[in-house]
Amino acid sequence: AVVSTQSGHYGRGIKAKWVFGKNSMAIDDDKAKNDAALYATIARINHSCSPNAEWSFMETVREDKEVRAIKKIKKGEEVVADYIADDDFLTYLERKKILSMKWNFEC
């Protein structure tokens, strides 16, 4: 994105960065790499502290992710996932802080 103060490009660049930051996810298990991608379909899945689905890397192509049901999902029921499921050993307060800071909601 072009970041410029002329012709309104600055605002679009900031918005694009914000959208990417809120909707992107890691493309590698190595968190030190900090590589991320925007998965258009997965990004539309809402968060739940009681999820019925999860996403993970595909075994064949490590950059691709797939969504799997982790419990029975009834017809018409929303597919929801835990946004910070990868962080298994966080306390309640740590999880609450991450959800509030990154996605601006409480669970």
Side-chain angles (χ1 to χ4, degrees):
V2 174
V3 179
S4 168
T5 56
Q6 298 177 13
S7 304
H9 293 297
Y10 181 77
R12 288 194 305 249
I14 297 299
K15 184 175 181 181
K17 184 176 179 180
W18 182 87
V19 168
F20 186 82
K22 298 289 184 196
N23 294 288
S24 64
M25 58 186 62
I27 59 172
D28 196 299
D29 288 329
D30 183 356
K31 292 183 182 182
K33 287 186 178 178
N34 206 25
D35 293 337
L38 181 59
Y39 297 88
T41 303
I42 294 175
R44 299 185 61 83
I45 296 174
N46 286 321
H47 170 81
S48 174
C49 288
S50 181
N52 57 20
E54 67 183 7
W55 50 73
S56 61
F57 294 107
M58 293 183 64
E59 291 182 21
T60 53
V61 182
R62 293 296 297 163
E63 293 83 18
D64 289 350
K65 291 195 177 207
E66 62 186 350
V67 176
R68 292 183 182 203
I70 56 174
K71 57 180 149 180
K72 189 164 182 85
I73 302 172
K74 297 176 184 171
K75 184 177 181 176
E77 183 180 356
E78 181 180 15
V79 175
V80 290
D82 182 352
Y83 285 179
I84 53 177
D86 294 340
D87 295 323
D88 295 329
F89 300 107
L90 295 174
T91 66
Y92 167 77
L93 291 176
E94 290 169 329
R95 292 174 57 81
K96 184 177 177 177
K97 183 178 179 181
I98 290 170
L99 290 169
S100 177
M101 288 177 58
K102 184 161 185 183
W103 293 285
N104 200 29
F105 66 82
E106 291 186 14
C107 193

